[in-house]
């Protein structure tokens, strides 16, 4: 069997996105000139090298080996602790932390590239630093000076890792149902008691301490979501010198036996009067968690892009090596990549991944420039779209990657099944697609009467006009296809607003989210195409980008009108 | 966790399909009155009991345990040998064998119900009898009296099982590349030498002997597909009394480590001069295999229906037990099944499964009535459509079943992941979807200038007219949606014929196949709806069927126009 496991970081694509597709130097703009697009590309090159040489080779072995619990301590797959040290020592945890927390504060649009590459190389492993970054954001926003000193500094340095403890058996999507209880101790600390499930990297052996962020109720708290507070509960309580000291009363009951991401310890944690520290306001816990949510959900979109690209790279490599049957109109010895249907699958995948990647940069740029309520609203509109659309589509892309392999794709040793299995959690965690779509229609579309979506559709209209002004057949076709999709999106939005916050709207919120995702992808290709056609000499990369814009229009924009029909129908009686 | 593993055989749906949707008694017509729809339903009830009580409980344990090879002998999961004996003793292998081979010759439309139920209960297990039935068909068509006596009788009785040995490392889709060599021995037998891979149930411990049907070249045979012959190679050579005697020179090298169907031994077999017996004409081996192909491919569609329904039943059971969050416009204590998005997912799944099930019966009926070339052509048109469309759609349905479970859906113990994993092989084996679609456009659409497809679209037009004549809003909506889909299919067919046998046609053959699949599903719902609306009193089942027709139109017929756009585009340059 050919070795198709190599991972090639898409650094050139990011260089193009940073410096051409959306303007001349987004990075310089985001950093007031402190960094340039070239600096960012250098950073991505270095990270890409670590990703492909250190993390990627542990992806399949981590999947096979999985996580075990020995004497109440989770043990990660061979090589994970060393790889984590390499990430920390290269400074990547610090690089992604905000400056206010003592980090380097890389702009979100550069973090988009990092997020994609870590996840493409090794999703199960990448979750550890992703959760840590999330915890850093929450503590940076809400923690007291004392907690910042004790915990935040250790997270930012990478010495300790962080977790989010939300879910309980009866409280998944509905966090108001949380029962874990924190009772005040005499010394100002809290005794935390209860069971948390599905805790990603809830226990492990890659760092010396773990900072759990735990949602819990307090005595006499109001019912539901308004009575929930946020606590820091360390695995080891810091000693006088701030180093890991006494073991706290939180035990690892078990790790889950999951469909995928086997290298990531998904723990059941039992808090048995563990010592905790209140973060932020009493009963203000959900607000603290919501701080993490935007970046965590954007991070899911990057994860979807990464897993999709890894699966695609593997399928492409296989298709370019495998010979099978005569290929119509091609010389003998042509590999299966040129069979018309295999070529269709590869182009369908590649064109969608390019749209996802561009959208990650675009959304990062929106957040980097979100200085007022208006621009933040636009950025936040894209959070559920980016998370929901990319994670749902990653299921089809990783499935197509199996299909390209034929029978070999069903054999675990080919590597293709792992991506399919790993991807399946993405439309579920950090809020299911339905949660994303309810956030989208409720807070972001119906509430402002479609004003923010209207701005996006206006941008699409501008891009269409620009493509129409270019004398190129693919530009003309793409403009026509995007215009039909834009019109469908306009109709669907009007229909949704007419429904109001009724069951009809909620019944079609996911199809509506997907519709906007496809349109956003079309907008990305319009921008890529325009920047590409501005080049004098057409390189191979240019030719690929033009072909992908065409393919995206055919394979993906063609799905928009059907989704608009679903939206129009509301709930089936 | 709720036990959601119970399997409820859809016997009532088959009763409706046999006696109402397509006429008053299809079974009586197929058996010249020897059996009635009621007899068939009784048979399905009995089989359903065996499926749900004996096979279904071994599905998850078989997946966990998998297959091992001990001293060159494959060992199946606990309970499988006993379950196989139960199937044999109840007479089901014999029931599905043709009368010409000494079986009961149940009509294909009744076997549709059996095939769905065996696969829903335990796909990995069901493959053993499916392969045996395939071998029975091939031997019945081509074997000499001697081979019939020695092997066919033992297969029909269920004492021995059968396999199909096609694939080699370099010869998957392209069977012309087969290198396994059969050299004549002095006594008229052949010495077979070579390696075969991906041999389903290639070795096991559920029966005393295995009859391998092996494709091999012979010395001086023509190159490619025209030089391939078919051989019987038994695991044990029969002794003078016809019982398993000397071990033949075929060894089990290994079993594959697969994404799913872990309970099914997928073997690498090494033939080291094993004694074989020629079946049929020298160099006529592929013809022998093609005999099995129609029934095997239809069998795949039934498998897709079965896995989809089991996944759906599990999701529905979970959704009706699980409480999470307040449900809009529903009283407190309403389970998640009534959340608008969960309800959408369940209806989308159910409506498509009902279309698949009806199509299985419809295609079975076409074969049962295929007495001339014309009717056979119509039946055979549906083989690639039924196989391709149902197996591709089963991927989305088993994925949606995970989504309904939320986080629990990613945990293996929930049972949902197994269906997702098991389903992934279906669009690959028995010919990938691209192979189905190339068969469809090449042999069945372009060759006759769209005449046969035209008959199907004509039937759709009749069904539309009939729905329009009924005074019912769902009938009116379904007629309008099906008419749009029919028109799209007509355009797509004309476009395809205009392409001719070019790369443009092959590049869109899969989207074209899927388009026809959705239209065929719409035709099924039109027939179901008309039969349902003929009832005076509307039962719960009636209400469900009406709702499903409506849902199918919204969620699935809405996808047809987009597929027609893809077909129109041809290959992307």
């Amino acid at each position: 069997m050919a070795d198709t496991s190599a991972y090639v970081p898409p650094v050139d694509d990011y260089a193009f996105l940073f410096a051409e597709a959306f303007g001349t130097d987004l990075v310089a703009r985001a950093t007031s000139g402190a960094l340039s697009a070239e600096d960012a590309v250098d950073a991505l090159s270095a990270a890409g090298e670590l990703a492909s040489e250190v993390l990627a080779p542990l992806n399949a072995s981590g999947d096979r080996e999985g996580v075990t619990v020995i004497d109440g301590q989770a043990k990660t797959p061979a090589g994970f602790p060393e790889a984590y040290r390499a990430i920390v020592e290269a400074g990547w945890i610090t690089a992604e932390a905000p400056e206010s927390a003592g980090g380097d504060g890389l702009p979100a649009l550069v973090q988009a590239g990092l997020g994609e590459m870590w996840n493409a190389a090794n999703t199960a492993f990448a979750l550890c630093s992703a959760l840590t970054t999330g915890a850093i954001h929450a503590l940076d926003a809400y923690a007291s000076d004392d907690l910042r000193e004790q915990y935040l500094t250790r997270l930012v340095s990478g010495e300790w890792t962080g977790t989010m403890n939300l879910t309980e058996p009866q409280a998944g999507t509905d966090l108001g149902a949380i029962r874990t209880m924190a009772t005040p101790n005499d010394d100002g600390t809290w005794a935390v008691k209860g069971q948390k499930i599905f805790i990603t990297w809830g226990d492990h052996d890659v760092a010396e301490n773990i900072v759990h962020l735990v949602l819990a109720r307090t005595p006499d708290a109001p019912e539901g979501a308004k009575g929930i507070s946020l606590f820091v509960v360390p695995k080891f309580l810091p000693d006088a010198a701030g180093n890991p000291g006494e073991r706290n009363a939180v035990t690892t009951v078990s790790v889950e036996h999951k469909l995928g991401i086997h290298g990531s310890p998904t723990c059941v944690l039992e808090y048995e009067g563990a010592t905790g520290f209140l973060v932020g306001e009493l009963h203000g816990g959900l607000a603290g968690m919501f701080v993490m949510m935007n970046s965590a959900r954007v991070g899911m979109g990057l994860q979807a892009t990464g897993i999709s690209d890894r699966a695609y790279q593997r399928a492409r490599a296989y298709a370019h090596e495998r010979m099978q049957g005569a290929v119509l109109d091609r010389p003998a010895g042509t590999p299966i990549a040129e069979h018309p249907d295999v070529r269709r699958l590869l182009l369908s995948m590649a064109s969608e991944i390019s749209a996802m990647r561009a959208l990650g940069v675009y959304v990062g740029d929106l957040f980097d420039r979100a200085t007022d309520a208006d621009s933040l609203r636009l950025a936040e509109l894209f959070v559920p779209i980016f998370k929901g659309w990319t994670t749902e589509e990653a299921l089809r892309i990783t499935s197509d990657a199996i299909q390209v392999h034929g029978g070999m794709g069903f054999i675990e040793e080919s590597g293709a099944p792992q991506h399919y299995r790993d991807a399946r959690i993405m439309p579920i965690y950090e809020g299911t697609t339905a949660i994303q779509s309810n956030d989208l229609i409720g807070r972001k579309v119906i509430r402002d009467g479609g004003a923010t979506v209207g701005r996006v559709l206006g941008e699409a209209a501008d891009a269409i006009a620009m493509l129409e002004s270019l004398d190129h057949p693919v530009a003309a076709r793409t403009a026509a296809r995007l215009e039909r999709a834009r019109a469908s999106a306009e109709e669907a939005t009007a229909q949704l607003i007419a429904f109001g916050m009724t069951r009809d709207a909620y019944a079609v919120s996911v199809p509506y989210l997907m519709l906007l995702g496809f349109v956003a992808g079309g907008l990305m290709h319009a921008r890529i195409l325009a920047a590409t056609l501005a080049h004098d000499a057409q390189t191979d990369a240019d030719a690929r980008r033009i072909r992908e814009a065409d393919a995206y229009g055919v394979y993906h924009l063609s799905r928009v009108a059907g989704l608009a029909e679903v939206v129009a129908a509301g709930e089936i009686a």
Side-chain angles (χ1 to χ4, degrees), chain A:
Chain A
M1 195 182 312
D3 177 23
T4 54
S5 69
Y7 170 58
V8 183
V11 176
D12 292 348
D13 269 2
Y14 278 98
F16 173 80
L17 294 168
F18 290 166
E20 297 198 61
F22 306 111
T24 50
D25 194 333
L26 311 187
V27 181
R29 188 173 60 188
T31 60
S32 309
L35 287 179
S36 68
E38 274 183 37
D39 297 330
V41 169
D42 287 346
L44 290 190
S45 291
E49 207 174 296
L50 187 65
S52 61
E53 292 176 11
V54 178
L55 309 189
L58 299 175
N59 194 45
S61 60
D63 178 62
R64 276 195 302 276
E65 211 177 309
V67 174
T68 45
V69 178
I70 301 170
D71 296 335
Q73 163 70 48
K75 187 178 172 304
T76 61
F80 274 37
E82 295 77 8
Y84 199 75
R85 272 201 295 281
I87 285 272
V88 169
E89 281 166 16
W92 291 112
I93 307 289
T94 313
E96 298 200 40
E99 289 186 67
S100 53
D104 300 339
L106 277 184
L109 71 93
V110 179
Q111 293 200 34
L114 294 171
E116 179 189 335
M117 296 192 306
W118 303 141
N119 280 293
N122 195 325
T123 303
F125 179 87
L127 285 164
C128 184
S129 37
L131 268 292
T132 300
T133 300
I136 288 171
H137 281 281
L139 291 179
D140 188 39
Y142 290 101
S144 64
D145 288 348
D146 204 40
L147 291 178
R148 292 178 72 91
E149 173 62 27
Q150 291 233 33
Y151 297 99
L152 184 56
T153 53
R154 299 294 188 121
L155 290 170
V156 171
S157 70
E159 287 165 281
W160 299 356
T161 73
T163 71
M164 289 168 72
N165 284 235
L166 288 72
T167 307
E168 301 176 10
Q170 80 295 342
T173 289
D174 180 15
L175 292 174
I178 280 175
R179 288 193 206 128
T180 292
M181 183 61 75
T183 341
N185 295 324
D186 294 341
D187 60 356
T189 66
W190 298 73
V192 179
K193 206 167 154 43
Q195 191 179 83
K196 292 288 182 178
I197 64 170
F198 297 159
I199 307 308
T200 301
W201 283 85
D203 194 22
H204 60 76
D205 51 3
V206 310
E208 62 178 21
N209 203 4
I210 303 172
V211 181
H212 300 298
L213 293 184
V214 182
L215 289 184
R217 313 196 73 79
T218 49
D220 310 320
E223 285 287 296
K226 294 196 166 87
I228 290 169
S229 306
L230 179 63
F231 298 87
V232 155
V233 184
K235 179 177 175 184
F236 294 98
L237 290 159
D239 63 17
N243 294 318
E246 193 192 337
R247 184 74 155 85
N248 206 350
V250 46
T251 60
T252 306
V253 176
S254 59
V255 292
E256 301 289 357
H257 178 217
K258 306 187 298 291
L259 173 59
I261 54 168
H262 292 163
S264 166
T266 304
C267 299
V268 177
L269 297 181
E270 189 75 40
Y271 290 87
E272 302 170 304
T275 301
F277 306 90
L278 181 68
V279 180
E281 297 290 319
L282 192 70
H283 307 156
L286 282 192
M289 282 290 163
F290 278 124
V291 164
M292 290 194 273
M293 234 161 241
N294 275 337
S295 77
R297 288 177 174 179
V298 169
M300 280 299 115
L302 305 174
Q303 184 175 100
T305 309
I307 294 186
S308 297
D309 192 44
R310 185 79 182 274
Y312 165 69
Q313 289 195 18
R314 192 184 291 276
R316 186 184 53 189
Y318 183 84
H320 280 93
E321 288 212 349
R322 171 80 173 165
M323 309 284 176
Q324 188 71 185
V327 177
L328 190 65
D329 294 347
R330 298 286 184 274
T334 299
I336 64 167
E338 285 296 310
H339 273 300
D341 189 65
V342 174
R343 193 165 172 276
R344 175 185 67 84
L345 286 171
L346 291 173
L347 259 175
S348 165
M349 296 159 81
S351 67
E352 196 163 22
I353 292 165
S354 291
M356 290 177 174
R357 179 175 297 133
L359 191 57
V361 169
Y362 179 86
V363 172
D365 182 49
L366 286 179
F367 273 104
D368 287 333
R369 289 187 291 130
T371 48
D372 57 22
D374 231 36
S375 52
L376 187 63
R377 222 175 356 255
L378 185 63
E380 288 186 337
L381 171 75
F382 278 99
V383 173
I385 296 171
F386 185 52
K387 197 276 182 185
W389 175 64
T390 57
T391 61
E392 291 282 344
E393 286 299 292
L395 304 185
R396 205 183 34 68
I397 292 171
T398 55
S399 176
D400 285 349
I402 288 181
Q403 194 70 18
V404 167
H405 285 76
M408 198 53 74
F410 197 62
I411 306 298
E412 287 285 355
E413 282 78 0
S414 75
Q418 183 187 350
H419 306 307
Y420 188 61
R421 291 188 287 99
D422 285 355
R424 194 60 193 78
I425 186 60
M426 296 192 298
I428 297 174
Y429 65 9
E430 297 293 347
T432 63
T433 309
I435 291 291
Q436 306 302 321
S437 65
N438 291 348
D439 170 52
L440 174 68
I441 66 164
R443 293 194 195 89
K444 294 165 181 179
V445 174
I446 295 178
R447 185 176 292 171
D448 77 358
T452 309
V453 171
R455 288 166 64 188
V456 178
L457 298 183
E459 190 177 332
D462 293 345
I464 291 161
M466 194 242 298
L467 289 180
E468 282 168 345
S469 73
L470 302 173
D471 181 29
H472 193 280
V474 175
R477 289 202 287 269
T478 303
R481 291 164 185 151
L482 186 55
E483 170 53 25
R484 283 203 300 276
R486 192 204 58 74
S488 288
E490 205 166 72
E491 276 170 43
T493 303
Q495 178 64 70
L496 200 74
I497 290 168
F499 284 146
M501 303 298 288
T502 60
R503 288 185 62 94
D504 278 325
Y506 284 112
V508 298
S509 61
V510 169
Y512 178 72
L513 179 153
M514 295 302 288
L515 184 160
L516 289 187
F518 286 118
V519 171
L523 174 58
M524 296 301 104
H525 272 294
R527 303 294 295 264
I528 291 172
L529 184 58
T532 301
L533 293 177
H535 291 178
D536 283 341
Q538 283 203 3
T539 64
D540 283 355
D542 289 341
R544 169 175 68 83
R545 291 192 178 111
I546 293 168
R547 192 164 54 239
E548 285 181 3
D550 210 14
Y552 186 88
V554 171
Y555 301 135
H556 304 299
L557 286 179
S558 60
R559 295 154 79 184
V560 167
L563 290 167
E565 269 188 60
V566 177
V567 171
E571 185 168 36
I572 310 286

